[in-house]
Amino acid sequence: MRAWWSRVAFLSLALVAPAGAGTLRGRVEVADKGGKKATDLANAVVWVEGPGVKPQPSSATVAMKGKAFVPRVVVVPVGGSVGFPNEDPIFHNVFSVSGENRFDLDLYKKPKSGTWTFRHPGLVRVYCNIHPQMSAYVVVRDNPFWARPAADGSFEIAGVPAGTWVLKAWHERTGEALQPVTVPETGVLEAALTLDASKWKRAPHKNKFGKDYPAGERY
Ligand SMILES: [Cu+2]
């Protein structure tokens, strides 16, 4: 049997072992029809799935302006809130039916605002129950390792714990692209992700009751 002091030494070594962390740096591309490169890469989101690190609390704002959600894409941590101020003098009804993140803020107009707190990681599709053309996306993450790419698609995620994780990218015209990555104890790992939007076409969605929006109405 191992002496008590060797066990203590082993335990303290484990506690002080340096928790290495590296940087993920790379570029996201979105390939539209005919291989054409998309330019709206700032609306993509890149994140790392796997590290069990709690994100810092933060919130976001998505305004309703000119019958559109502005901005169209935000990222919040689990437990983060998104405010939806209506800056239009007409009613909007913000809702989502995305799984456990479903919510309904009902009707309000300028200067009122509604807020929802997102409790589950995932992609939340947000719509207005009056105007079918309005759509936004809330990406809810359970760790702090995510980035919004610059206009040229470049991104950097620092402080990622060393280990093998899954790097994912998403854009509203594509599904997810994923790539296993082994993050080093120090330094930079380069990664490139391509999202295929070649098959995308605008598809109608249902209203909050699961029905088609009334046809022939002027919005
Ligand atoms: Cu609306």
Side-chain angles (χ1 to χ4, degrees):
M1 195 178 135
R2 208 189 267 179
W4 67 269
W5 46 265
S6 80
R7 241 178 293 161
V8 170
F10 174 77
L11 277 176
S12 45
L13 258 183
L15 287 173
V16 297
T23 296
L24 275 167
R25 191 181 291 156
R27 196 169 285 250
V28 173
E29 264 186 23
V30 175
D32 279 321
K33 275 189 185 65
K36 199 171 155 257
K37 284 182 185 170
T39 54
D40 55 345
L41 298 169
N43 266 347
V45 182
V46 187
W47 68 90
V48 184
E49 278 189 9
V53 177
K54 262 196 160 185
Q56 291 290 315
S58 71
S59 56
T61 301
V62 175
M64 291 173 275
K65 211 171 178 175
K67 296 182 193 169
F69 288 110
V70 185
R72 294 169 63 81
V73 179
V74 293
V75 185
V76 291
V78 169
S81 302
V82 178
F84 294 95
N86 188 347
E87 295 179 13
D88 285 336
I90 55 166
F91 283 109
H92 293 299
N93 175 183
V94 187
F95 78 97
S96 176
V97 293
S98 292
E100 294 175 302
N101 284 307
R102 84 167 30 231
F103 70 96
D104 183 356
L105 297 182
D106 233 324
L107 288 163
Y108 56 91
K109 60 184 172 182
K110 187 181 175 178
K112 287 199 172 154
S113 184
T115 300
W116 189 254
T117 301
F118 294 88
R119 302 272 174 214
H120 308 276
L123 173 67
V124 187
R125 296 169 194 278
V126 178
Y127 300 120
C128 168
N129 202 52
I130 300 173
H131 306 104
Q133 73 272 34
M134 292 175 66
S135 61
Y137 304 86
V138 179
V139 177
V140 187
R141 292 298 307 129
D142 57 4
N143 68 44
F145 308 116
W146 55 268
R148 302 293 302 275
D152 67 353
S154 60
F155 69 88
E156 183 174 305
I157 306 174
V160 183
T164 299
W165 316 117
V166 179
L167 178 67
K168 287 194 173 180
W170 167 90
H171 186 277
E172 64 177 300
R173 290 197 303 280
T174 73
E176 292 175 356
L178 60 88
Q179 182 178 313
V181 286
T182 298
V183 176
E185 297 272 338
T186 61
V188 175
L189 180 70
E190 302 271 351
L193 288 158
T194 301
L195 290 158
D196 180 10
S198 63
K199 290 173 195 77
W200 178 82
K201 55 178 180 225
R202 191 175 295 281
H205 62 86
K206 305 288 187 194
N207 69 13
K208 68 181 181 183
F209 306 110
K211 301 255 160 63
D212 290 334
Y213 283 72
E217 266 180 45
R218 288 177 61 221
Y219 298 110

